[in-house]
Every structure is written in C-alpha cells, then in structure tokens.
Amino acid sequence: MESLDEIIDAMIADRVIHRHRRIWLVVIALVVVAALVVLATGGWKERKGRSVPTLTAPATVTAGRYEFDFTTAVILRKPKTDYSDAETRLRVSFKAKNIDSEEHKSQSPDSGLLLFVPGHGADLVDATGITCRGEVTWVLVYGLPPEDCYTEFKVEPDFKADEVEIGVQAESFEATSGVFGANDTKFWQNEAPVAVVRFTPSEKTDGGSK
C-alpha cells in the first residue's frame, strides 16, 4: 500500500507532466500558425524559401484574368515646404490587359493584386490604386490591347533602395466551397501569390530626376 508521501509525489509529478504537455501543445500550435502565414503570403517577406518565382523587370506576369507587363519603378520625392511635410512614393509602371477568357467581362483591376515587398521581415505594403489613362477606376475591356498603367505605394520620406520588389497576386476562377456549403457557380475569387518582380528604381524630385 502506497504511503501518503508517495501519493502526493505522484500527484505533483502528474501535474508537472500535464503542464509541460500543454506548453508543448501551445508551441506546436504557434509553429503551425506561423507556417500557414508563410504559405499564405508566398514567403514574400523573406527572399529565401519563396514558393513563387522572382522575375527581373521588364517582365510579363499572367495573373488570373489579367496580364501585367512590368517596365519601370521610380521613387517620387516631394520635399517639405512651409505648408506640407515631405512625402515619398514608389511608382511602378506597367501595361495591363484583360485576358478573361472565362467570362469575357470588362473589369477594373483591383489594387490588392499588387503589393510592395520591403523585405527584411517587414509587412507588405498595399497599393493606393491602379491608374490607367489617368483614372484610378479605368475599366479594362476584354479583347482590347493593353493599357499603360501605374500603381503607387506610400513609403517613408527618407526611403532609399537600389532594388525594390513587387508581389503579384492572381484570382482563380472557381466555385465556392467551405463550411457554409458548396456552390457550383464559378467566379473569380481567392487571390493568391503568383510572382515577385524585381526593379532597379530611378528617382525623381519635383520636376528633377536622378
């Protein structure tokens, strides 16, 4: 028959084992979540381990219902004045074409398809919009030639870079499925990374260039 001391020691040991087991379960869960985040972003924050190709501009990327022909990037600087703070924007120029062979539908490209990848583990930067023919919401018509377009990203006023990278996402033409039931109707949805395009940017400051 076990003594009282032996019973108490056994209870303490059991609690220690369960506490350490919970800690390990939490650690494993965090590792799994981190891995899913990396997969969801295509590993864009770091250059190593990317699951999408890295191209050097000029480069053409087929992204779902659009085709982007990337050409140049420029760092636009607006110096501080008596009435406004200094501002810097990164502008990326490209030709955009509607290649929607599924629906043949005219559409304005979503700015969420393009992201600035600062690197060094920094968060991705959303585009402020895609401008074609001077209009942010210009509609690309299926079957027509590509349009000259650009998008911009807000960066720090003192931003400098010999090289910049832009992540490209694409939608898939597929039906909805999930916990709320399935739908056989297909449509463009679920943006996912398809490529990273690398640029050597020029600089321009209030009418001047560098």
Side-chain angles (χ1 to χ4, degrees), residues 115-190:
L115 299 164
F116 171 42
V117 186
H120 306 293
D123 291 335
L124 304 175
V125 180
D126 294 330
T128 58
I130 293 179
T131 301
C132 304
R133 290 198 177 186
E135 294 187 17
V136 178
T137 57
W138 184 264
V139 174
L140 297 179
V141 179
Y142 173 75
L144 290 186
E147 299 282 3
D148 289 322
C149 306
Y150 69 84
T151 190
E152 292 186 344
F153 305 89
K154 292 182 179 179
V155 292
E156 294 297 323
D158 60 349
F159 175 78
K160 294 182 180 180
D162 295 327
E163 188 177 84
V164 295
E165 293 185 329
I166 302 301
V168 185
Q169 298 199 110
E171 300 165 296
S172 298
F173 191 72
E174 57 189 15
T176 301
S177 61
V179 295
F180 297 107
N183 188 331
D184 292 334
T185 303
K186 292 184 177 181
F187 59 97
W188 291 103
Q189 59 174 323
N190 296 332

Side-chain angles (χ1 to χ4, degrees), residues 13-196:
D14 186 63
R15 289 185 180 182
V16 170
I17 291 171
H18 281 285
R19 182 167 65 248
H20 282 81
R21 184 178 298 167
R22 287 196 299 269
I23 292 174
W24 276 110
L25 288 173
V26 171
V27 171
I28 292 171
L30 291 174
V31 170
V32 171
V33 170
L36 291 174
V37 169
V38 170
L39 289 174
T41 60
W44 284 356
K45 289 186 178 182
E46 301 293 347
R47 295 188 177 186
K48 294 182 179 180
R50 278 181 177 158
S51 59
V52 297
T54 299
L55 310 174
T56 300
T60 300
V61 178
T62 300
R65 53 180 153 176
Y66 302 107
E67 181 180 85
F68 298 110
D69 187 6
F70 294 97
T71 53
T72 60
V74 58
I75 299 171
L76 302 173
R77 301 191 186 282
K78 180 182 177 182
K80 180 180 179 180
T81 67
D82 294 337
Y83 307 101
S84 62
D85 295 331
E87 295 180 4
T88 301
R89 307 183 312 279
L90 173 63
R91 176 180 291 189
V92 174
S93 299
F94 53 90
K95 290 182 179 293
K97 183 179 181 180
N98 185 332
I99 57 170
D100 183 2
S101 59
E102 299 290 350
E103 296 182 316
H104 298 182
K105 182 180 178 181
S106 300
Q107 185 73 25
S108 177
D110 190 331
S111 61
L113 298 177
L114 304 178
L115 299 164
F116 171 42
V117 186
H120 306 293
D123 291 335
L124 304 175
V125 180
D126 294 330
T128 58
I130 293 179
T131 301
C132 304
R133 290 198 177 186
E135 294 187 17
V136 178
T137 57
W138 184 264
V139 174
L140 297 179
V141 179
Y142 173 75
L144 290 186
E147 299 282 3
D148 289 322
C149 306
Y150 69 84
T151 190
E152 292 186 344
F153 305 89
K154 292 182 179 179
V155 292
E156 294 297 323
D158 60 349
F159 175 78
K160 294 182 180 180
D162 295 327
E163 188 177 84
V164 295
E165 293 185 329
I166 302 301
V168 185
Q169 298 199 110
E171 300 165 296
S172 298
F173 191 72
E174 57 189 15
T176 301
S177 61
V179 295
F180 297 107
N183 188 331
D184 292 334
T185 303
K186 292 184 177 181
F187 59 97
W188 291 103
Q189 59 174 323
N190 296 332
E191 297 173 353
V194 291
V196 172

